[in-house]
Every structure is written in structure tokens, then in C-alpha cells.
Amino acid sequence: MTRTVLESKTKTVVIGFDEPFCVIGERINPTGRKKLAAELEAGDFSTVEKDALEQVACGAMVLDVNSGAVFTNKMAEDPRYADNNFVEPPLMKEMVARIQAITDVPLCIDSSVPGALEAGLSTCEGRPLLNSVTGEEERLELVLPLVKKYNVPVVAISNDDTGISPDPDVRFAVAKKIVERAADFGIPAHDIVVDPLVMPVGAMASAGQQVFALVRRLRDELGVNTTCGASNVSFGLPNRHGVNAAFLPMAIGAGMTSAIMNPVRSVEMEAIRAANMLMNHDANGGEWIRFSRILDAVKEGASFPEACAAQAAAGGRGRRRARA
């Protein structure tokens, strides 16, 4: 049974076919968040720290840390700030250090800049997930040596030099290529977590069916764990959280084992908790019962993050594996 092991200094999270669905919190990402990008440019990490604590309280088992900030004001003063290769490595190191100081969950180091990936890896305590490698030849040659050097698992995104194919067979072939190339570096398949690329269902009616079929193939034929950017499926639609909440249990039923998503949304987290129980990945329904207490507090007027934080403070942090 495929098991992808992630570690912080004190905690272990296992992504696997027989494990509860792994929620990877997506919010520590300045892309599209002008306020957060401006704070980071000013050396203010308060939102990063708030988002880290809030996501963990709401159920994130892993935190994605993305350093893709644009420092507009500094760029005007110093042209080096126009280059993400200059901006991201020190920013990633600082973000990782600050998050590790206040949380105990494993991290997912997320950047398109190889120098930022290595900066994050060198700062991380434990065994983070690296996000990401694609099937592009240049990217394979840059990222796979880092994966091998630091002995970490990696997200493999199913696009290559030709771009993102609408054909699921092509996306499967790209994933297979990455797994095979990783093996050439001595990286086992259980350390490859494939993102089969979820298309927006509003633009492609068969997008959901495609990804469910792809996940089954990736599990059965390649034996790899899978992930996705869960909110992609609802892009451009009204009531996106309702669509996401329907998509996630269906993806879990098809064999998907993790997702990069926003855990602060109660409807999606409720769907995942229920799916875990229905898949027999929640012993005696203990996590569902704990989560139901959170939902009861929300009905009584608490916000979802407040109710989650109160439950955590009361000792209901839920299922975590202690490191051996």
C-alpha cells in the first residue's frame, strides 16, 4: 500500500490509500492577495502567522508555503526585486522559519523558483513535501536532483513542454513520464504525489469525470498518491463552495488522497470529514463526532475558525501520528 510520509520536527503525516484524506492548507500564498504581498514587502508576517494557526485549527494537516510575492515598491528602488530568483529564496526561508516557530505540522514548499525550493528545504525541520515538478525537461533536471538530495516527496503536475492537455490520456502519460524519470534519480513512486490537473467544470463539462477516471488510473496503474488544487473545479461558477464540497468526496471515492485547499471553509471540511467516515478512514467515527461539536458551536453563533480553535484548545486536536 502506497504511503507518502511527511514530517515536521515533532509530527508525522502519512498520505495513503488507507489513510484519512490529507488536507493541505493553501492560504499562505501572496498570489492574488495584494494585501498579503504588501505586508511581506514591508517585512510584516502577521497574516502569514494568523493564516498558519487558523488553518491548522480548522483541520489542515500540512501547510503549503508559497513565496511568489511581487515587491512592487522595492522594484522601483532596486531592479533586482523584479527578479523572483532574487526575491523568493530569502522570503521563503523567513516564512518557513516563522511558521515552524508557531505550528507543528509538516510543510509543503511551493515555488516556481528552484532557489526558493532549496531555501525552503534547507530551512525545514523534518520531511516536507516539495511543490512541484512538471514534465518539462528543464524543470525535471532542476527539481528532481533537489528531491533526491533532500530525500523528500514531490508533487508532480501533469503538464509538460506542450502545456496542459485537455486529453486525460495525455495527462496520464505525462505523470507516467515523471514517475519514470524520478526512478532514474532513485526516487521511489511512493514519494511522487501526482496532480492530474483539475479543469474548471464550468468550461469543460466532463472535467469532473475526467479527473475521477485519471485518479483511478494513477492509483491502479502507477501506484501513486494524488492531490489537486480543489477549488479549480469550481472556477467561474456561483456558489463555488457547494461545488467544491460535492467534488471532494467524489474525488476521495475515486481514490484521491490529498488536496491543496482552503480548510477555513466549513462546508468543504464537513464533506471531507463525512467522506473519511464513509471510506472507513475514521475509526468508530471519532473525528466525525468531534467535528459535529464544532458544527454545533457554529450553529450557536461562533465562526467556524473560532469554533475549531476552541475545540483544539479543549484538547480535541484530532488524529495525529507521533513520530517514532
Side-chain angles (χ1 to χ4, degrees):
M1 193 65 73
T2 300
R3 292 159 58 85
T4 304
V5 178
L6 311 180
E7 295 177 330
S8 67
K9 186 177 181 179
T10 58
K11 296 288 176 66
T12 297
V13 169
V14 178
I15 303 174
F17 304 152
D18 58 347
E19 296 287 334
F21 191 71
C22 181
V23 176
I24 304 171
E26 70 177 8
R27 288 192 52 77
I28 303 172
N29 185 345
T31 305
R33 298 182 68 187
K34 292 183 179 179
K35 180 177 180 291
L36 176 57
E39 288 179 2
L40 294 175
E41 184 172 8
D44 178 0
F45 293 85
S46 57
T47 296
V48 167
E49 293 170 346
K50 173 181 175 293
D51 284 347
L53 293 170
E54 191 171 74
Q55 288 183 104
V56 172
C58 290
M61 302 163 70
V62 178
L63 292 177
D64 189 83
V65 184
N66 185 300
S67 58
V70 176
F71 289 175
T72 306
N73 294 328
K74 288 186 176 180
M75 196 185 303
E77 301 168 0
D78 185 339
R80 291 179 299 173
Y81 283 94
D83 183 1
N84 273 25
N85 292 289
F86 178 77
V87 172
E88 290 200 39
L91 178 61
M92 178 65 81
K93 287 178 72 73
E94 184 68 18
M95 292 170 76
V96 166
R98 286 176 176 267
I99 293 164
Q100 286 183 149
I102 59 171
T103 66
D104 61 0
V105 300
L107 302 183
C108 176
I109 305 302
D110 185 356
S111 177
S112 60
V113 175
L117 295 177
E118 182 147 28
L121 290 171
S122 66
T123 309
C124 263
E125 300 169 327
R127 192 172 196 251
L129 179 63
L130 196 65
N131 189 9
S132 59
V133 69
T134 66
E136 297 166 290
E137 287 300 323
E138 181 181 3
R139 189 74 177 173
L140 288 166
E141 292 298 325
L142 287 171
V143 176
L144 291 181
L146 289 177
V147 175
K148 179 63 176 177
K149 176 182 177 181
Y150 288 93
N151 184 30
V152 294
V154 64
V155 174
I157 300 179
S158 299
N159 68 283
D160 61 12
D161 303 87
T162 64
I164 301 172
S165 174
D167 184 341
D169 290 335
V170 172
R171 301 208 300 278
F172 177 84
V174 174
K176 184 177 180 182
K177 170 188 172 182
I178 297 171
V179 171
E180 290 172 347
R181 289 292 298 278
D184 292 339
F185 284 83
I187 301 163
H190 64 249
D191 276 341
I192 309 295
V193 181
V194 173
D195 181 346
L197 291 170
V198 178
M199 304 295 192
V201 71
M204 180 185 291
S206 62
Q209 293 170 306
Q210 279 192 8
V211 79
F212 303 146
L214 259 173
V215 166
R216 293 187 189 99
R217 286 192 70 189
L218 290 163
R219 172 176 172 154
D220 295 343
E221 297 180 36
L222 299 184
V224 294
N225 281 308
T226 46
T227 195
C228 70
S231 64
N232 289 352
V233 72
S234 63
F235 183 79
L237 293 175
N239 190 27
R240 293 186 64 184
H241 302 297
V243 177
N244 298 344
F247 167 77
L248 283 162
M250 295 176 75
I252 292 168
M256 186 168 282
T257 48
S258 68
I260 301 171
M261 56 175 287
N262 185 354
V264 182
R265 300 293 183 179
S266 62
V267 63
E268 284 101 320
M269 292 303 293
E270 182 176 4
I272 288 171
R273 298 298 189 193
N276 281 339
M277 184 170 63
L278 292 168
M279 294 294 289
N280 196 25
H281 294 159
D282 178 6
N284 301 314
E287 281 297 306
W288 177 254
I289 292 168
R290 184 190 73 84
F291 189 76
S292 294
R293 297 191 188 105
I294 292 172
L295 295 180
D296 289 343
V298 171
K299 290 175 184 176
E300 293 172 2
S303 70
F304 181 62
E306 288 171 346
C308 289
Q311 178 73 9
R317 289 188 178 274
R319 185 172 181 263
R320 291 289 189 274
R321 293 174 178 265
R323 286 181 62 182

